[in-house]
Amino acid sequence: MSDNATGKRVFPPLYVSSGDASADRLAFFHILERLKTQRRTGWVDHKVPGPESISDHMYRMAILAMCTSDPELDVSKCVMMALVHDLAEAQVGDIAPREGIPKAEKRRLEAEAMHSFVHEMLHNNPSAQRIEALWKEYEEGETKEAQFVKDLDRFEMACQAAEYERNYGMQTLQPFFDSSLPHVRHPEVQDWGKALLEERHKTGPGSESDARHSE
């Protein structure tokens, strides 16, 4: 998960069950800490001061899911899905495209991590099966809930980019907007994105507010 001297990502060994269900469950609880301490790679690459962690990102997505007014969505499922969609990154980290790991290999690594969590740590109990089902549903992206949560993933990243621009005067974060908001499909999240861009126009790089702060 951490980079070695060559700059290549090194993955920790997968957990192997001890045979003690209680100890294995605690091992899962402990591995979740990595989500709290691992910084999101894109922000690190752009030298954002004190960048958010993986769990920071997922937590706001969960709250965003609670804010929807769409009666067609299972909001509880969306909240849970937001909280598990990047769970595999506790094992493999936040793999960025610039690392050159093919998408198929990234998917394999993440599926391998989830299998370890579900079977080696949680012994395929009902809770583990629920976590796995939610993660797979998100990855497959076929249900309206999975597609909505994917849009939240996009919007949350753009929202964070706007905040880093405003808080730190970052001038290099346009790619985070270009790769997110244009791909949002859910009408309500599209509206959130439009409001965010309007706010950014007033307060972001090149705005009158930005010019005043640079004087």
Side-chain angles (χ1 to χ4, degrees):
M1 187 161 56
S2 59
D3 293 351
N4 62 16
T6 66
K8 186 176 181 181
R9 186 177 291 270
V10 177
F11 302 102
L14 290 166
Y15 184 84
V16 177
S17 173
S18 67
D20 181 333
S22 179
D24 292 342
R25 183 170 53 248
L26 277 175
F28 176 70
F29 294 166
H30 288 313
I31 204 171
L32 297 178
E33 187 206 16
R34 295 179 185 172
L35 298 172
K36 297 171 64 178
T37 58
Q38 285 288 310
R39 303 301 169 182
R40 298 250 286 164
T41 304
W43 309 129
V44 174
D45 288 348
H46 280 75
K47 297 179 172 54
V48 172
E52 66 167 347
S53 69
I54 297 165
S55 62
D56 290 336
H57 166 64
M58 293 195 291
Y59 176 78
R60 178 154 56 179
M61 282 178 60
I63 297 295
L64 292 173
M66 295 175 68
C67 293
T68 184
S69 60
D70 187 343
E72 299 298 316
L73 291 171
D74 182 338
V75 175
S76 294
K77 176 185 276 192
C78 291
V79 171
M80 290 188 291
M81 193 178 293
L83 290 171
V84 304
H85 83 284
D86 280 340
L87 180 57
E89 293 182 10
Q91 173 67 28
V92 303
D94 182 20
I95 299 172
R98 56 93 176 154
E99 296 179 62
I101 297 175
K103 287 184 178 180
E105 175 65 4
K106 180 176 182 287
R107 286 194 294 268
R108 185 193 69 78
L109 289 166
E110 292 178 345
E112 189 177 60
M114 291 300 296
H115 185 274
S116 175
F117 299 161
V118 170
H119 294 277
E120 299 293 325
M121 293 179 166
L122 297 177
H123 294 217
N124 200 29
N125 64 28
S127 298
Q129 292 171 16
R130 178 170 59 243
I131 290 170
E132 183 178 42
L134 287 162
W135 181 81
K136 285 183 175 179
E137 183 176 338
Y138 176 81
E139 287 293 303
E140 291 165 358
E142 295 179 358
T143 66
K144 58 183 181 292
E145 284 80 15
Q147 292 167 4
F148 173 70
V149 174
K150 181 60 181 177
D151 281 346
L152 295 183
D153 184 52
R154 296 176 173 119
F155 173 77
E156 200 286 328
M157 183 174 72
C159 194
Q160 186 64 73
E163 289 156 359
Y164 286 148
E165 286 181 337
R166 184 174 67 244
N167 295 339
Y168 302 121
M170 303 293 296
Q171 302 284 329
T172 62
L173 303 183
Q174 183 60 39
F176 292 92
F177 295 94
D178 296 340
S179 63
S180 58
L181 295 182
H183 304 286
V184 170
R185 294 167 290 181
H186 190 276
E188 186 172 31
V189 186
Q190 287 178 340
D191 288 343
W192 296 353
K194 290 175 184 175
L196 178 68
L197 290 179
E198 289 173 3
E199 178 188 65
R200 183 186 182 225
H201 181 70
K202 297 174 183 176
T203 64
S207 66
E208 289 184 8
S209 174
D210 181 57
R212 287 197 298 270
H213 282 94
S214 64
E215 290 177 354

